[in-house]
DNA sequence: GACCAGGCATCGA
DNA sequence: TCGATGCATGGT
């Protein structure tokens, strides 16, 4: 049992940053970092089983000062409705490799399909049919096509080879901009995917992934003239990633 | 049955 | 440097 700082478990899981979960009973089954566990909200607490409490606290980023972050973002009048709507939306700490596979898979796709693709991948190639397969296990494009990855399959095998050769090694020590360039050099990885990985796996909270929803939301709030990412960094600086997450969930709800 | 999807790589202009 | 296009399929 984890005493509860502001946290909306369901909203956070369903916020498009993470795909390896499903509703199970009155809670959720989550698979990440090579582990699978059950989690549910009980009154003002979070109950987990199958993992240590410290693991859950870290994965769910319960140490992020969410009230402080929201307090600062709420000062922006135009962002306020999105932030007010979700008092407990957090940005998770995912595993870099899993996150990378997820967002390469997300390319021109949709959440139900991404979820299904990743589930098939883990079932087919992962340990115990649950965990994300390691890079070594992703070696045959035909398998990926059979699993429904479509044209995304083309990048995943060469990507796995690069990661096997250490493409992600030491990335956590690089400056964000440099890490971003390294990620963008990988097959199937452009700025959007790179920014997602930086935000959701490397805790670079200043990252601002721009997809069609964010582009629309930003155009609605600030006009479509300027580059959304530039606008975001000016207004929200090192908290741009959280701003993005509030905007994403908020704009999709309407 | 269009139209679009948490894009990327490639190719002309 | 920028806009258009193909890529495979499934959701809506």
């Amino acid at each position: 049992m984890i005493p509860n700082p502001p946290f909306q478990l369901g909203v956070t899981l369903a916020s498009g940053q993470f795909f390896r979960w499903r509703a199970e009973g009155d809670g959720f089954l989550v698979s990440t970092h090579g582990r699978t566990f059950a989690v549910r909200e009980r009154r003002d607490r979070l109950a987990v089983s199958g993992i240590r409490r410290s693991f859950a606290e870290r994965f769910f980023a319960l140490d992020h000062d969410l009230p402080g972050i929201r307090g600062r973002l709420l000062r922006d009048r135009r962002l306020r409705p999105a932030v007010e709507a979700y008092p407990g939306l957090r940005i998770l700490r995912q595993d870099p490799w899993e996150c990378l596979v997820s967002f390469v898979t997300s390319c021109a796709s949709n959440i139900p399909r991404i979820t299904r693709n990743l589930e098939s991948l883990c079932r087919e190639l992962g340990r115990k049919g649950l965990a994300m397969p390691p890079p070594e296990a992703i070696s045959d494009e035909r398998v990926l096509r059979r699993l429904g990855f479509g044209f995304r399959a083309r990048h995943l095998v060469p990507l796995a080879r690069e990661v096997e050769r250490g493409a992600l090694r030491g990335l956590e020590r690089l400056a964000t901009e440099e890490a971003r360039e390294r990620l963008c050099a990988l097959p199937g990885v452009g700025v959007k995917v790179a920014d997602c990985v930086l935000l959701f796996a490397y805790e670079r909270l200043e990252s601002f992934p721009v997809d069609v929803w964010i582009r629309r939301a930003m155009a609605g709030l600030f006009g479509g003239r300027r580059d959304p990412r530039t606008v975001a960094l000016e207004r929200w600086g090192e908290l741009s990633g959280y701003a993005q997450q509030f905007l994403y969930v908020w704009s999709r709800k309407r």
Side-chain angles (χ1 to χ4, degrees):
Chain A
M1 298 280 279
I2 297 169
N4 205 10
F7 181 43
Q8 292 169 291
L9 174 62
V11 169
T12 299
L13 288 175
S15 68
Q17 58 179 307
F18 178 68
F19 307 97
R20 296 282 294 132
W21 63 275
R22 65 166 186 259
E24 180 102 336
D26 59 347
F28 306 90
L29 197 66
V30 172
S31 187
T32 183
H33 293 277
R35 274 159 256 210
T36 299
F37 62 93
V39 56
R40 60 200 168 97
E41 288 173 306
R42 263 185 29 181
R43 302 192 181 181
D44 61 338
R45 287 171 172 257
L46 200 64
V48 297
S49 62
I51 47 156
R52 302 164 68 97
R53 158 196 305 214
S54 58
F55 175 85
E57 287 174 349
R58 181 160 179 78
F59 176 65
F60 292 120
L62 298 187
D63 56 312
H64 284 173
D65 175 20
L66 192 56
I69 291 168
R70 292 181 69 249
R72 289 192 36 201
L73 295 177
L74 283 166
R75 288 190 220 149
D76 190 322
R77 186 174 52 80
R78 302 193 200 185
L79 185 61
R80 191 173 302 155
V83 179
E84 278 178 337
Y86 302 103
L89 174 60
R90 286 175 185 267
I91 289 179
L92 303 170
R93 284 195 189 89
Q94 298 185 46
D95 173 80
W97 163 244
E98 292 176 3
C99 191
L100 186 58
V101 172
S102 299
F103 282 97
V104 169
T105 299
S106 79
C107 175
S109 190
N110 52 70
I111 292 177
R113 185 180 179 181
I114 301 162
T115 304
R116 203 163 36 74
N117 286 157
L118 294 174
E119 202 174 298
S120 316
L121 181 68
C122 296
R123 191 171 53 238
E124 181 94 0
L125 300 173
R127 190 170 49 86
K128 290 190 288 186
L130 287 170
M132 180 65 67
E136 311 86 85
I138 296 182
S139 56
D140 189 346
E141 181 181 329
R142 289 168 301 177
V143 171
L144 298 173
R145 289 193 179 268
R146 177 163 57 73
L147 296 177
F149 280 77
F151 66 87
R152 302 158 197 84
R154 191 162 71 84
H155 297 302
L156 284 166
V157 172
L159 175 66
R161 294 294 76 70
E162 291 290 332
V163 171
E164 227 180 330
R165 275 188 250 158
L168 297 179
R169 214 166 290 151
L171 220 59
E172 68 281 355
R173 289 190 297 278
L174 298 181
T176 300
E177 192 49 40
E178 198 178 340
R180 192 168 187 251
E181 284 173 22
R182 290 274 275 284
L183 287 167
C184 285
L186 297 173
V189 180
V191 292
K192 159 62 168 63
V193 171
D195 285 338
C196 284
V197 173
L198 289 170
L199 179 58
F200 301 135
Y202 287 98
E203 210 174 357
R204 306 303 170 100
L205 300 183
E206 73 274 34
S207 300
F208 191 80
V210 178
D211 66 2
V212 291
W213 295 93
I214 291 297
R215 191 172 298 284
R216 268 181 232 153
M218 291 295 282
L221 293 178
F222 308 108
R225 206 48 95 189
R226 303 177 61 213
D227 170 39
R229 187 165 166 265
T230 310
V231 175
L233 289 172
E234 280 176 11
R235 299 184 79 95
W236 308 310
E238 73 274 24
L239 297 181
S240 295
Y242 260 100
Q244 181 273 160
Q245 204 59 21
F246 286 113
L247 275 178
Y248 181 76
V249 177
W250 177 76
S251 68
R252 285 181 54 115
K253 281 286 177 201
R254 32 199 327 187

